[in-house]
Structure formats: structure tokens, C-alpha cells
Amino acid sequence: MTAAMRRRRKKMWTLCGVLLLLLVYLGGWYQRLDEQFFELHTCPACYGQTLCSQLLRDEYSSHSKIELTGFTSWKIINFFNVKNVYYGQSGENSIVLKKLAHNSELKEFDQNLCKASKETENCDVSQAIKNILIKTNHNFSQIISRYPQLFEISEGVRCNHNRSIQNLYDNYIKIDAGPYHHHHFITMLAVNMEPLILNAYQQQQWFPFLHGMCGRVMVENYVGPTLTQLSQVPWIVRADYAHQLLELAQDFSEGEFRLYLTDVSLDNFAVDSKGKVKIIDAENIVMVDPSIPGLDPTEHVNDGFGCRDCLSFSYEDLCGHTFSDHNFFAVCKGILSSSAFSQDLPEGLLHSPPSWVFEEYPLLLSLVEDCAGHPSGTNAYTHALPTRRKAAAALHTQLLTVLQKGGKPS
């Protein structure tokens, strides 16, 4: 490196340092929980205001104040925090604050909202959503059909089954019965339905506790480390996680409304202090009402066609059948099998079993592959896919036996 190049590099780093100090001077080191952070100016095109008293430090609130903690409390992290996920503390509870979308996605939603309301110049999104609700007489199904551009990224309306959407709404008004609850509901349904799912299924063990919303931020309990972070814990512990994931697949596949997972990244599941597996990203879930007249009563079988290394599925198939083995395919093929989807753990969550498992339960890993429909050297699947649910049930039973043998509580 020449002396001239060294001088140029030194000047560049000096300039970067000056710019960083200027940003810190103007904005401060730490992220403030203020109206700008929560984007309250967008309301009622927001997620609600049930938690604003805690988040905005209302001195008369009887609730514990919420503070950001860790690296996400640094303002400069906003340049890299594209997922808009922040960590904090409320009393003794560790919490997660989510804006539920990237900044670019929120900007696009606002633009589509203005176009739908036909207010393209100096558009006020808070007024735009009011206009849309008035034009459609607060009819959710009509809004979804009339303004599909608002729901382009939403898994929640893929099937547009009225009763499942109504179920989400009926549960939502239990926590937000204010004058703008329709507006909040539609915004979450369009941007990210995670708060609606958490609220509707709060009594189930599979989701974190929802604290509430303020502006374009939702707050939920921090669960614990993700399955990615736990991918190398002792095998018997991972077997317990696999057992729970199969129970989750069963529960979601046979409830009053079917819940189909469309993203089984290991980072979307976490384990709490009691060892319970929970979904920490509930955005990618398709809801199906099996009571809809005209649905195919035969079980839909996901054959993984079109993609050997990712979760392949058809919205039309999921929405058009009363039953599907999709969740078992997602869990077995995507997480447990020796050809899992995860780049962080391609060998699957049940990798490296101890020798006594091979000796005493020689069929266990073959059941995993049966459930997954593991592909052979060709693109053909080697096992009879319609038996996947049966293989999943047998795997669940054998894992339970292994856990009891290995001393891990079920």
C-alpha cells in the first residue's frame, strides 16, 4: 500500500468517525421510546394504542415502565436492524418489541393505502384508512376483495374464509373495543397478523404472551433461545423439542380452524425456561376454515413438488381441502430430517443420535424420513406420502418412549 493510499484511507476513517459523532450528537446514543418511534402519526392506520401508557412513560400509569435493553437500545443499530425487532424489560419480564415489517414494507403499505383511498397528493394515511372503512361500511371481506393491493404480503387473507377472519376479529375486540378498532384490525391483517394470532390463541401453549400494541409496535414476552441456538444441545433434549414440534403439527392440523405453517425456519421457534417450544414469528400462518361448503374432503398430501430444499406448497391446495398433512411435512422434512431446509442445520434437529438409540430404537430415524417423504437420488420420493400422518404418529409415540427411557420428562 502506497503512502498516498494510506493517507486516503486515514481520511476516510476520520470522516466516518466525524459523521458518527455528529449522528450521536444530534440524535443521542440511545433509542427513545417516543411518538416518533411508535409512528403514532399513522394512527388509526396502526396496530392500536392499548400499551401506549407504559411505552410512553405515562407518570400516572400503574404498570411497570418498559425500557429497551441491550444493543437494540443503541440508536445507531437502526441502520442495521432491518427486521425492526427490539428487546426490552418490563419489571421482571423480558420482552420483545416488533414493528412487524421492514421500513420499506411499511412505506409500501402506506403508499397502497393512499392509492386505494385515491389520496395521492399530501396523503394522510390516518385519513386514508378512515375513508376506506367508510366506503366499505367496515366490511372486512369487502375490503380484502376490493383492495387486494393492501394485502399482498399477508398470509392471513390467502384463503379469505370469512369465519376465520371473523374469529380473529371477535377475539381482538376483547382487548380493543375503542372507536378505531376496525382500523387497527385491518392494518394488522394487511401488514402482519401476528398480534391477531397471538391474541386469538393466547390460551394455547404454542405462542408467547401478548402484552399489547402502541402505534406500529407490538410487544410480546421474550421466550428464550431459538432452535438454531440450541441445535447442539444434548440429543435427548433435541428429541424432546422434536416431540413437541410433532404435537404442534397435530394441534394446528386438527383445530376448529386449521393453522398451516409456511415458514419453518429454526429461528422462528424458541424454547422457554421450562423447556417448552413456542413460535416466536407467527406471521407466516395460513388459516383455513374446514366448514366451508365445497372444500375437498380428502386429505391434501404435500409432495414437496417443485423444490427439494425449501418448503414447497400451494395456497390453493391448503385453502381448498378440509385436511392436509402439510404441517407434518413442514416439521419432518423442514426441521427433523437428514435433509432439512435450514442452512444452519442441514443435517436436521435429530442429528448425531447416541449409539443406544440406534441399538434400541433402530426404526426411529427411518420414521423421520418416512414422515418427511425423503427424496432418493432422483426427484422421486421413496415412501408412500399418504402414510405421512401415520408415520408422524408412530414417530411421536417412539420419541415419547425414548424420552422416558432417556430420563427426559415428556
Side-chain angles (χ1 to χ4, degrees):
M1 183 183 296
T2 66
M5 291 177 65
R6 285 196 293 269
R7 285 195 297 271
R8 282 197 296 269
R9 177 168 290 187
K10 184 177 180 180
K11 288 180 180 179
M12 181 184 71
W13 282 112
T14 300
L15 179 61
C16 289
V18 171
L19 289 174
L20 176 60
L21 290 173
L22 180 62
L23 286 172
V24 170
Y25 175 77
L26 294 176
W29 277 108
Y30 297 105
Q31 175 68 62
R32 289 181 294 178
L33 296 180
D34 53 20
E35 293 188 6
Q36 181 179 356
F37 177 81
F38 298 113
E39 300 184 45
L40 286 180
H41 65 279
T42 65
C43 290
C46 62
Y47 314 142
Q49 300 187 43
T50 60
L51 208 62
C52 286
S53 61
Q54 281 182 262
L55 291 165
L56 293 173
R57 299 176 173 84
D58 183 346
E59 61 179 313
Y60 301 106
S61 173
S62 60
H63 299 286
S64 299
K65 302 299 182 185
I66 290 177
E67 301 283 350
L68 294 180
T69 59
F71 65 92
T72 58
S73 65
W74 302 345
K75 203 163 189 178
I76 195 171
I77 293 299
N78 289 339
F79 291 101
F80 312 100
N81 189 6
V82 293
K83 292 186 176 181
N84 279 326
V85 175
Y86 301 81
Y87 297 92
Q89 198 75 21
S90 176
E92 297 181 355
N93 294 322
S94 296
I95 57 171
V96 181
L97 296 85
K98 298 180 179 180
K99 292 195 174 184
L100 300 177
H102 298 176
N103 289 337
S104 60
E105 292 172 326
L106 291 171
K107 182 179 179 180
E108 184 176 0
F109 170 72
D110 288 344
Q111 291 172 344
N112 288 333
L113 197 60
C114 290
K115 291 177 183 177
S117 181
K118 297 182 179 179
E119 293 188 21
T120 55
E121 294 185 11
N122 300 319
C123 176
D124 180 353
V125 293
S126 63
Q127 187 58 48
I129 198 167
K130 293 177 184 177
N131 294 342
I132 289 174
L133 267 291
I134 292 172
K135 289 178 182 177
T136 55
N137 198 27
H138 296 68
N139 185 305
F140 301 138
S141 182
Q142 185 179 346
I143 294 172
I144 294 168
S145 300
R146 189 171 173 181
Y147 306 105
Q149 68 271 28
L150 294 179
F151 302 90
E152 290 176 350
I153 63 173
S154 176
E155 299 273 19
V157 301
R158 292 292 183 176
C159 300
N160 198 10
H161 290 169
N162 290 341
R163 199 169 70 94
S164 60
I165 293 175
Q166 186 65 40
N167 177 64
L168 292 177
Y169 173 73
D170 290 343
N171 281 281
Y172 177 66
I173 59 174
K174 295 176 183 177
I175 62 170
D176 181 3
Y180 294 115
H181 66 270
H182 293 94
H183 308 69
H184 301 153
F185 179 80
I186 279 293
T187 301
M188 287 184 284
L189 199 62
V191 174
N192 187 328
M193 64 183 240
E194 181 171 352
L196 302 176
I197 289 286
L198 264 59
N199 179 63
Y201 292 91
Q202 200 69 85
Q203 300 306 314
Q204 286 202 9
Q205 63 173 317
W206 304 117
F207 297 100
F209 177 74
L210 174 68
H211 287 270
M213 288 74 72
C214 179
R216 286 189 171 175
V217 173
M218 69 157 283
V219 180
E220 63 184 36
N221 263 5
Y222 171 76
V223 172
T226 66
L227 288 184
T228 298
Q229 296 168 310
L230 298 170
S231 62
Q232 302 301 324
V233 298
W235 186 88
I236 196 68
V237 178
R238 288 182 276 119
D240 183 39
Y241 301 157
H243 178 258
Q244 293 184 58
L245 288 169
L246 288 168
E247 289 188 340
L248 180 153
Q250 179 76 18
D251 286 353
F252 281 16
S253 300
E254 299 198 346
E256 179 184 2
F257 300 100
R258 317 300 192 216
L259 304 179
Y260 294 121
L261 302 170
T262 59
D263 185 355
V264 289
S265 165
L266 292 178
D267 285 332
N268 289 347
F269 299 87
V271 180
D272 69 12
S273 59
K274 297 180 180 179
K276 300 300 181 182
V277 175
K278 296 183 184 295
I279 300 174
I280 57 172
D281 187 344
E283 174 184 7
N284 301 113
I285 293 178
V286 172
M287 293 189 69
V288 177
D289 178 6
S291 70
I292 294 291
L295 296 190
D296 190 331
T298 62
E299 181 176 45
H300 160 249
V301 176
N302 191 333
D303 60 6
F305 178 78
C307 184
R308 295 182 59 183
D309 299 315
C310 66
L311 184 56
S312 175
F313 62 92
S314 161
Y315 290 115
E316 183 179 356
D317 286 336
L318 294 180
C319 297
H321 288 74
T322 57
F323 288 96
S324 175
D325 70 355
H326 171 84
N327 284 333
F328 299 104
F329 173 72
V331 168
C332 291
K333 178 66 173 75
I335 299 179
L336 306 184
S337 80
S338 59
S339 59
F341 301 138
S342 173
Q343 295 181 352
D344 296 319
L345 196 66
E347 65 271 31
L349 190 63
L350 291 175
H351 69 86
S352 310
S355 58
W356 64 266
V357 172
F358 284 116
E359 294 169 1
E360 299 185 39
Y361 305 95
L363 296 179
L364 190 145
L365 294 185
S366 66
L367 285 173
V368 174
E369 306 307 331
D370 281 349
C371 180
H374 192 285
S376 64
T378 67
N379 287 329
Y381 280 71
T382 59
H383 300 285
L385 290 176
T387 65
R388 177 179 286 127
R389 190 182 290 264
K390 183 178 179 180
L395 176 60
H396 178 272
T397 299
Q398 188 142 118
L399 280 171
L400 179 58
T401 304
V402 171
L403 291 170
Q404 292 170 341
K405 170 75 174 180
K408 183 70 181 178
S410 60

